[in-house]
Amino acid sequence: MNVDIAARVHGDALARGVLRRYGEHLPLTPDMPLISLGEGDTPLVRSTSIERDVGCAELYFKLESCNPTGSFKDRGMVVAVAKAIGDGATALMCASTGNTSASAAAYGARYGLGVYVIVPDGKIARGKLAQGSVHGAEIIAVDGNFDVALGMARAITSRHPIALVNSVNPFRIEGQKTAAFEIADALGEAPDVLAIPVGNAGNITAYWRGFIEYQRLERTTRRPRMLGFQAAGAAPLVSGEPVADPQTVASAIRIGNPASWTSAVEARDASGGGIGAVTDDEILSAYDRLAREEGIFCEPASAACVAGMLKRAAAGESFAGQVVVCVITGSGLKDPETALRAEPAIHRVPAEFEAIEREMGWA
Ligand code: F0G
């Protein structure tokens, strides 16, 4: 570790974070500094209305949007970056639909590492572009989708001493599995169902690993059924075939050939679960309901798992008596275009309190 990084790491002890809280479950080596931006320990919040429509006993949202850069990626990024620092790397690279790059950019900035992100040109949400930009990452936009960008990132990092921090990096998955530990700790047991959006399929892989490890350690007595959801226009795990030109409003999961394909299918089958597709209309309807009925502003990809649970229930599947957890993977603030896709209803009035009261109907 160079002196500059040692000085930067010095202040991280109070943040706790994933490395300090879950170090015993992670492949830490003495070279890896216990860095943190305060990731993990996110809220598990009970549903007020969607629970009723799903027809389960209890439905909770795991608010991964509360991580430092507004998505679940920070849990895995902190471990991958600690590993990169431990190995003496001075630069990070990832392909991204926007959240991985935002997270890499933040941790890279904090620890003085160069960050190169490859994104599909024009296809990442504005807030995520802003994050990469403010943290000073080099943003490389390619004429191609995420799958093409990941191929580029793999090729380049195999040729240069740059750490690849996509979820093909095993340290990413290790960090992300800690969310399963938190859910089990909060509930005192694994839930019956874990509902999760699926893109590159790293996260469903990570949760499944976390639940398996916790059961082995006898922290829980069971494992959940894993229910994954993809966008209908980007659903290779549902069709069983890669999708050459994936399309969906949920830009975070606009992925046609997931890197963790095999492990996602294994999580599905070993858990007795399923991976289904939801249309963009179903995603946006769940997104609106989360915002208006639950007070949760998430990005469209996150709403896919809620849309999926509502869809399964509407198709007649019974969740009676079950505890369900939906993973809210990212913050709605990242994607203002979707939030403002309809002109917001703004009441324009003179700056006079009587005028405002009249407009309110409280005159
Ligand atoms: N939800 C959000 C908000 C995401 O950003 C992603 C993936 C997923 C769900 C799917 O997770 O890929 O592990 O199956 N985003 C990646 C990125 C691809 O580049 O930010 P996954």
Side-chain angles (χ1 to χ4, degrees), residues 89-127:
T90 56
L92 313 174
M93 174 170 261
C94 65
S96 185
T97 55
N99 279 326
T100 300
S101 51
S103 186
Y107 285 88
R110 183 171 174 87
Y111 301 107
L113 305 168
V115 179
Y116 300 90
V117 307
I118 308 182
V119 300
D121 197 8
K123 298 292 189 186
I124 77 167
R126 294 287 286 176

Side-chain angles (χ1 to χ4, degrees), residues 32-33 79-92 113 163-165 169:
M32 289 167 68
V79 187
V81 171
K83 172 68 177 159
I85 293 171
D87 288 348
T90 56
L92 313 174
L113 305 168
L164 179 63
V165 293
N169 176 328

Side-chain angles (χ1 to χ4, degrees), residues 186-268:
L187 296 174
E189 179 56 281
D192 296 285
V193 171
L194 192 282
I196 186 168
V198 177
N200 209 27
N203 214 22
I204 190 170
T205 301
Y207 271 84
W208 181 236
R209 184 179 300 172
F211 285 120
I212 288 178
E213 290 184 9
Y214 243 35
Q215 190 189 22
R216 270 197 203 125
L217 293 167
E218 297 181 6
R219 303 284 189 97
T220 54
T221 64
R222 62 183 189 198
R223 304 163 184 179
R225 286 175 68 214
M226 303 293 286
L227 296 183
F229 298 97
Q230 300 202 287
L237 294 172
V238 180
S239 66
E241 305 258 295
V243 175
D245 186 21
Q247 295 296 344
T248 170
V249 66
S251 57
I253 53 172
R254 189 172 161 270
I255 293 174
N257 192 10
S260 296
W261 186 305
T262 311
S263 51
V265 167
E266 199 178 293
R268 177 194 69 190

Side-chain angles (χ1 to χ4, degrees), residues 322-336:
Q322 301 191 11
V323 175
V324 175
V325 174
C326 293
V327 184
I328 301 299
T329 48
S331 166
L333 291 169
K334 288 170 172 283
D335 189 350

